[in-house]
Amino acid sequence: MSLDLPPVAPSVTAALVQGLTPRLRKRLDAGIAKLADRPHVRDGDTVRIAVDDDTHLELHAPGGSVTSVDAIRCGCLLAPDCLHRAAAASAAPIAESEAETEPAAQPAGEPEPGAGADSDSGAGATSDTASVLTLVSETVTPEQRAAALAMYDAAAAVLEAGTDGAGAVLQAELLRAAHTARVSGLPRVAASAVSVVTQLRAARGTDPAYRLTDLTAALRDVLMTAHRLPDSTDADLADLRGSARQPYAPDGSLRLYGLFSEPVLTATGYAGAVTWTADADGRLYTVSDVAPGGAGRAVGAADRAVRVGDTALTHRELSRAGLAVSGATVSPTGRLGAGAGVRAVRAAGAAWSEDPLDRLWAAPVAEQVSRALTTGGDALLFLDVTLIGTVREAAGDCLLADCDGLTLRLAAAHDHPALPYRDNLRLLATAPGVRLRVVARLDPAPVPRALLVATRHPGDAGAHVDLGLDRLQHADLPAAATAPTGAATGSPPAPLDEAPLHLLRRRVHQAASAGRRVLAFPGDSAADSRRLSRYGFACAGDLLDELHAAAADRSRDVFGRLAPADVNRFARAWLAAAHYTEEVDRALCAAAWGAAGHGGR
């Protein structure tokens, strides 16, 4: 999409699409494509689009995003129920609710929420009340149950259609379900549904950053959460319900050391930079600057001042320096707050080879992988590797490296051409034998695989390179390097995926991409099922058979006409197969890294 539009709230898009007549709904996707080629101008918080010589469309976003249907206006004769308003809303990025908020000042003398009293009478009352409350089981409300069922139906319809068939109308239905879920107190599934829509738009718009695995994961999470919610209780319900806000909590004074910075560029229309820091105990903290924008903002945000206290450090500078913070506030995810009471000044940094940062690389690799698999989060790995060469994958070449005798694949963290990740990896591939200290994100797979985000400078042991922001040059590489003794320098090692779970996984991905019909074509899955059974994956074979059977299940009415497909049966079969492959992949990933027994959640 070439238009520079402000983010639009999901409820606004859903309402505008719902207001269209059936005839206009059929033309909505074509209307979006036509709108992309029209001239537009931005005047402050308003974007004006010339629909034609006599008709103009306006989007008003006084707070940075469009939050009401009245904020999108059109001058055509069919307004307000015209195609242009719905097309503009469907083409714009999806506005995301603020996930984290600064804490309100606590009145003097009042305890923090949840703090216990010291008096005997107070403690006794609290204990008695807690005893009574534990006897009451919390269950979903009727509104939440209805919202979960509506979400499941909307996601199942998207799965049935696939990316090619899931146009703006189906996307709007999923956004409507997301809005209903959010107002019903189900923020987790609402956020996942929005992620599905943004991935669909990226796929249909040929966004270079789009990955089918991301769409599959988001769709799986929506269906799984919506499926489990109606019958969940207590702690399980709290986890599935999620939290709309993650409040910042006071954390006193912090002495932080810069680790690295990375660009942020999402399919939702947000961009910026995040800088990672660590304290003396190895706890990780982040400073972020993310706002609506595109690749240009992702590239330029590293040279903007960090928003913590009154420091003048940029993100790029902070990644190589340090920070002393007083009155710090921190979110549960480790993000530093920038409230009025926070003070921060520049301090000395540390090289990756110096204390305290050196301790991050001292942790055993298997222990790091186990922690990443069990706790989730950003799953950062701190590794010492020796480059071997390259190996070709479906998404492109990736680096091969030796990590304490383990052959590791290092892939680009982001594929957008405006970011230098891919170019930097290509250059590093020309220097086999180079020993590097790197930061990467675990990519759960049946082979050891990680996404490379930063590395120690090949020609300067005291510096590092942010691979998404800095560009390596040939002069940065050592003049000569040799592969490590005993390391494989030719063909990559035989993949563990020959198990062959890929027979089921590729069908899961095909369904998410092309819809139910791609698996409904005549064919025999028995051979694949037998092969899975021979390798000890009898359950995978059964799931594959059911997936094909559900896709092809079409009954006929009394007149012999084909009845509509059983979308719910197909969604259940796909969800079971997707969940199975995810869990087996985690177990295989743990085993591949030598962290066997730590792959479960």
Side-chain angles (χ1 to χ4, degrees):
M1 184 67 188
S2 60
L3 290 176
D4 179 21
L5 300 179
V8 176
S11 58
V12 173
T13 303
L16 290 175
V17 174
Q18 185 185 33
L20 296 177
T21 64
R23 181 178 63 86
L24 290 179
R25 287 191 180 193
K26 294 179 181 179
R27 297 169 50 192
L28 181 55
D29 290 312
I32 296 172
K34 291 180 180 179
L35 205 62
D37 298 326
R38 302 306 303 164
H40 70 284
V41 295
R42 179 181 285 270
D43 182 12
D45 295 325
T46 301
V47 174
R48 295 183 178 87
I49 305 171
V51 177
D52 55 40
D53 293 339
D54 302 317
T55 305
H56 287 77
L57 180 68
E58 293 185 349
L59 289 82
H60 299 272
S65 61
V66 177
T67 57
S68 69
V69 293
D70 295 335
I72 302 180
R73 306 166 190 168
C74 183
C76 75
L77 296 177
L78 295 179
D81 297 326
C82 64
L83 181 68
H84 306 128
R85 298 174 72 215
S90 300
I94 302 173
E96 296 180 347
S97 61
E98 191 65 33
E100 297 174 335
T101 56
E102 292 285 355
Q106 212 38 257
E110 287 191 16
E112 291 290 330
D118 293 331
S119 65
D120 293 339
S121 60
T126 302
S127 177
D128 292 341
T129 303
S131 298
V132 173
L133 290 177
T134 55
L135 299 178
V136 180
S137 177
E138 186 181 11
T139 59
V140 296
T141 66
E143 293 78 12
Q144 290 174 336
R145 181 184 298 275
L149 294 175
M151 178 67 74
Y152 188 91
D153 289 342
V158 167
L159 175 64
E160 202 272 342
T163 55
D164 290 341
V169 174
L170 284 182
Q171 293 172 25
E173 290 300 320
L174 195 54
L175 290 179
R176 177 182 304 283
H179 175 67
T180 302
R182 186 173 296 280
V183 298
S184 300
L186 302 174
R188 172 179 164 178
V189 73
S192 296
V194 169
S195 179
V196 170
V197 174
T198 56
Q199 292 296 331
L200 288 172
R201 292 181 178 181
R204 293 171 62 86
T206 63
D207 188 327
Y210 165 72
R211 292 181 178 179
L212 178 56
T213 53
D214 293 338
L215 171 62
T216 303
L219 192 55
R220 180 186 63 236
D221 189 62
V222 171
L223 286 169
M224 179 63 74
T225 306
H227 170 72
R228 293 175 56 194
L229 266 168
D231 299 318
S232 62
T233 60
D234 301 331
D236 188 41
L237 173 59
D239 177 58
L240 295 173
R241 190 168 48 204
S243 175
R245 295 185 179 275
Q246 298 181 357
Y248 286 75
D251 202 15
S253 298
L254 299 173
R255 175 65 171 90
L256 304 176
Y257 300 83
L259 264 173
F260 68 94
S261 290
E262 61 179 332
V264 175
L265 182 58
T266 73
T268 60
Y270 285 78
V274 173
T275 298
W276 290 79
T277 66
D279 66 8
D281 297 324
R283 293 173 59 196
L284 300 180
Y285 298 82
T286 61
V287 181
S288 63
D289 178 11
V290 179
R297 192 178 196 284
V299 173
D303 294 315
R304 297 165 62 98
V306 299
R307 294 185 293 180
V308 177
D310 53 0
T311 177
L313 278 172
T314 66
H315 284 268
R316 195 185 301 273
E317 291 170 337
L318 176 57
S319 72
R320 295 162 173 81
L323 204 63
V325 186
S326 62
T329 58
V330 184
S331 79
T333 58
R335 179 178 172 182
L336 289 174
V342 180
R343 297 289 181 267
V345 295
R346 180 172 185 158
W352 286 4
S353 57
E354 301 173 348
D355 281 336
L357 299 184
D358 183 63
R359 303 174 194 173
L360 295 170
W361 280 266
V365 174
E367 180 181 308
Q368 295 186 50
V369 172
S370 175
R371 182 171 59 246
L373 286 171
T374 54
T375 62
D378 281 272
L380 290 180
L381 302 178
F382 302 90
L383 309 172
D384 288 307
V385 303
T386 302
L387 300 184
I388 298 174
T390 60
V391 61
R392 182 169 296 279
E393 295 183 337
D397 290 348
C398 65
L399 284 175
L400 276 182
D402 177 80
C403 180
D404 294 334
L406 189 70
T407 301
L408 168 66
R409 301 182 182 206
L410 295 171
H414 205 293
D415 288 328
H416 197 285
L419 304 178
Y421 282 117
R422 183 66 65 184
D423 291 340
N424 285 331
L425 256 68
R426 290 194 188 100
L427 191 59
L428 288 173
T430 65
V434 169
R435 183 75 173 170
L436 292 176
R437 174 160 282 189
V438 304
V439 181
R441 277 192 178 82
L442 177 67
D443 185 12
V447 294
R449 193 174 190 273
L451 306 179
L452 194 57
V453 293
T455 180
R456 186 163 55 190
H457 197 290
D460 183 356
H464 75 268
V465 178
D466 297 323
L467 294 174
L469 300 170
D470 306 323
R471 288 190 179 272
L472 284 169
Q473 305 296 325
H474 281 283
D476 295 325
L477 301 179
T482 58
T485 303
T489 57
S491 300
L496 296 178
D497 197 24
E498 291 298 325
L501 192 62
H502 65 275
L503 295 174
L504 179 61
R505 184 188 302 107
R506 73 183 180 189
R507 298 305 183 192
V508 170
H509 288 172
Q510 280 180 341
S513 176
R516 176 191 58 79
R517 292 175 180 82
V518 74
L519 301 184
F521 296 132
D524 184 11
S525 63
D528 288 344
S529 298
R530 288 194 297 269
R531 185 179 176 194
L532 286 165
S533 296
R534 285 199 305 270
Y535 281 86
F537 288 91
C539 181
D542 293 341
L543 291 171
L544 181 60
D545 287 339
E546 171 59 15
L547 187 60
H548 279 281
D553 184 12
R554 296 291 300 275
S555 59
R556 294 182 180 272
D557 61 19
V558 295
F559 299 104
R561 296 171 301 191
L562 280 175
D566 188 344
V567 176
N568 284 332
R569 180 190 174 187
F570 179 69
R572 289 193 301 270
W574 182 89
L575 179 57
H579 179 67
Y580 176 89
T581 55
E582 179 196 24
E583 292 303 315
V584 174
D585 277 346
R586 290 169 61 84
L588 291 175
C589 175
W593 286 88
H598 300 281
R601 281 180 289 184

